[in-house]
Amino acid sequence: MYWCKYKRVFAGLMLLLLSSINAVAQGTTVSAQVSSNTVGVQEQFLLTITISNPTERFTFLEPSLRDFRVLDGPGESYSNNVVTINGHTTQENMVSYTYVLQPLRQGTFTIGSAGIRTQRGQEMRTSPVRILVASQGSRRQQMLQQSFGEEEEPRQELPSVDVAGLTEAHLKDNIFIRAEVDNKNPYLGQQINVVYKLYTRLRMSLSPTSLPVLNGFWSQDQQREPDMNPVQENFNGKRYNVFVLRKTALFPQQSGLLRLDPAKAEGMVEVAAAVGGNRYIPQTIQAEIESPAVDIDVKPLPAGKPADFSGGVGQFVLSASLSRSSMSTDDVAQLVLTINGSGNIGLINAPVLNLPSGLHTTDPESRDSISDLMPKLLGSRKFLYQISADSAGNYTIAPIQISYFDIGSGTYKTLQTGSFTLSVSQGTKTAGSQGSGVEQMKDIHGPVSQMPAFKDKHTLLWQQPYYWLLYIAVLIGFGFLAVQHRRKQHRLQHADVFRSRQANKEAWKRLAAARNALQHSSNTIFYEEVSKAIWLYLSDKLAMPISSLSKENIVQKLRFRGIAEEQVQKTLALITECEMALYSPEGGQQQRQATLDEAGNLIGIYETYFKKK
């Protein structure tokens, strides 16, 4: 009872201390964000006022909105995020007030400062926000609109010589989506590049509604230019304005026939409508377009794979370094294995080190760096091994080798490093007291330097105190080793379970990377990390390889596990949003923050469910 009482007091003091530390480290800030700075007269947009890390009670000071119609708000929301990176924990508390606004008229207007007033009377305010209200559509529609000719406005009557081929009957000839693939017959794991393009000769306002899921491929998207300016391109003897919707590097993960699903878009398109004779006028119609599906015939890798084939397909070089050549049994040496080149670097597995008896290593940590993506993925992958020693001596670490399939020659090649010599001196830990990550067993007494003398020549051995102490120590040692052995066997037999336990930790690492990308306005990296967090988490929790996951079988598995339909639909919506957001310039900081919060909430809900199971 007393412990519980003190435990609550201690926890309260720790929370107070952490709050104080965060308040000092981060400080209270007030910011204002809008979903778009350029909107149409009839277009709605969001205004969000965010108070980060408030340290005391406050009164919210609303902004001046006299030039806008308030459709909803202010809606109040709270979030509390704790992020641990490299052992350093930070906490961020946020209070947000969100308005849904609509402009009253065309022009340039200013949203006044908002802010807070603390209990001590201190005021903190945001900077004013300028909004450009255009006469036609949203900023995205304006960027995508293209005219028939050089005039900015459609003519009231169009001569037949210019637009006879631009009627609704010829719609598919004048606006369509193509998927350009540079190689439709690659090897398993070989990079291919696909570019989805929108071709148009018409005025239009279209938005992507469905982008390919790319099942069976590991993919990396190349970041597009944010301005979405079209380029002129001749196709089948006609000149088109061309928008790039998606540029992706694909690495097939299974052999056989794979299909790239269609990309789809819909919206308003302006065509020529006949009004009699050879006279035409502009007419706006609703249109839906999609690209043809593309079949990719993936060849399996040739027979005769080396035993140490690591999954690499491309062209690579290998190097390695050891952080030190001498150390004590108390120290750790770091061996860094680096693979540079072009190909599926992110899919190469870490080789197993052939260490001599007496040396041990942990599971390696991998770090990737990509310098270029298309036409070839160029970069490096590093594996970091932590090496420790049980006892003093001179050790030789054998050469490390990795085999890969060389695309240029069509053959398997083997890369090999040199050997390393490591001199180990005796540290404070006794020889043989550590190994394979097992903690040193501490005896209940100090080391015995010599056998104690008998106090009585008639005293038997079993009557001596040290005899029983040694006996107990031996029993404890055997018991400890037995428990460790059982734990090791249990981990091997239930590898899926332990991988599932790591899923939550890995997901939060991905969300931490997404938060960092959000702070640096890296839109593509942000949505990639959120998407990876959800896909990898579900892959581990559902015990399914990432290459075989799709939205359809995720839904099936979650429903089979008894997950509430609401959570299933939220998960689908989040995955789809991440796919679509990479190709739409809309959505500001607040929208991405909401996406990040939703991902964290979903993972938290799933974690609670799977722990119960």
Side-chain angles (χ1 to χ4, degrees), residues 459-481:
T459 303
L460 298 177
L461 178 63
W462 61 269
Q463 294 176 320
Q464 299 299 323
Y466 74 85
Y467 172 82
W468 293 106
L469 290 175
L470 289 174
Y471 187 77
I472 293 172
V474 171
L475 290 178
I476 292 175
F478 276 113
F480 181 80
L481 292 176

Side-chain angles (χ1 to χ4, degrees), residues 404-426:
Y404 71 96
F405 182 72
D406 184 86
I407 289 295
S409 63
T411 60
Y412 293 99
K413 292 187 177 180
T414 300
L415 304 174
Q416 182 172 291
T417 68
S419 60
F420 295 95
T421 300
L422 184 61
S423 177
V424 180
S425 60
Q426 186 61 48

Side-chain angles (χ1 to χ4, degrees), residues 218-220 368 370 506-507 510-511 525-539 546 578 603:
W218 179 67
S219 63
Q220 285 283 330
D368 296 339
I370 297 177
E506 180 63 26
R510 293 287 184 182
L511 293 183
I525 296 177
F526 170 81
Y527 283 107
E528 284 181 351
E529 292 297 337
V530 173
S531 181
K532 288 178 181 178
I534 297 298
W535 282 98
L536 293 176
Y537 179 85
L538 293 176
S539 172
I546 188 67
C578 290
I603 290 175

Side-chain angles (χ1 to χ4, degrees), residues 261-502:
D261 297 328
K264 300 179 182 179
E266 65 179 35
M268 307 306 295
V269 177
E270 193 173 273
V271 297
V275 293
N278 292 326
R279 297 172 54 236
Y280 296 84
I281 62 171
Q283 179 185 13
T284 301
I285 62 171
Q286 178 73 24
E288 297 182 5
I289 60 174
E290 65 177 57
S291 64
V294 180
D295 290 333
I296 307 295
D297 189 9
V298 182
K299 298 179 292 188
L301 295 178
K305 295 178 183 177
D308 57 356
F309 178 67
S310 64
V313 177
Q315 294 177 320
F316 307 102
V317 294
L318 180 67
S319 62
S321 63
L322 190 63
S323 62
R324 54 175 68 186
S325 59
S326 62
M327 66 177 192
S328 73
T329 56
D330 297 332
D331 300 325
V332 173
Q334 187 179 77
L335 190 150
V336 181
L337 185 69
T338 304
I339 302 170
N340 289 284
S342 63
N344 60 347
I345 290 178
L347 299 178
I348 296 178
N349 298 319
V352 177
L353 299 188
N354 184 17
L355 297 178
S357 177
L359 294 185
H360 305 280
T361 184
T362 59
D363 291 335
E365 174 188 355
S366 63
R367 298 177 182 174
D368 296 339
S369 176
I370 297 177
S371 58
D372 197 8
L373 183 60
M374 299 174 73
K376 288 185 178 181
L377 189 153
L378 301 175
S380 66
R381 165 164 273 205
K382 292 185 178 182
F383 296 106
L384 285 73
Y385 300 82
Q386 306 291 341
I387 299 176
S388 59
D390 285 347
S391 57
N394 292 320
Y395 300 92
T396 298
I397 301 175
I400 307 166
Q401 65 180 34
I402 287 181
S403 295
Y404 71 96
F405 182 72
D406 184 86
I407 289 295
S409 63
T411 60
Y412 293 99
K413 292 187 177 180
T414 300
L415 304 174
Q416 182 172 291
T417 68
S419 60
F420 295 95
T421 300
L422 184 61
S423 177
V424 180
S425 60
Q426 186 61 48
T428 58
K429 298 177 182 178
T430 58
S433 63
Q434 60 181 10
S436 302
V438 179
E439 294 183 357
Q440 181 180 1
M441 182 178 69
K442 297 182 179 179
D443 203 345
I444 59 176
H445 52 74
V448 179
S449 59
Q450 61 182 7
M451 294 295 290
F454 291 106
K455 294 182 180 179
D456 190 331
K457 65 179 180 178
H458 300 293
T459 303
L460 298 177
L461 178 63
W462 61 269
Q463 294 176 320
Q464 299 299 323
Y466 74 85
Y467 172 82
W468 293 106
L469 290 175
L470 289 174
Y471 187 77
I472 293 172
V474 171
L475 290 178
I476 292 175
F478 276 113
F480 181 80
L481 292 176
V483 170
Q484 293 300 316
H485 179 73
R486 290 188 63 183
R487 287 181 178 176
K488 183 177 180 180
Q489 293 298 319
H490 181 71
R491 285 179 179 271
L492 292 175
Q493 295 173 3
H494 301 84
D496 289 343
V497 175
F498 287 96
R499 185 175 70 248
S500 176
R501 293 178 181 175
Q502 293 297 317

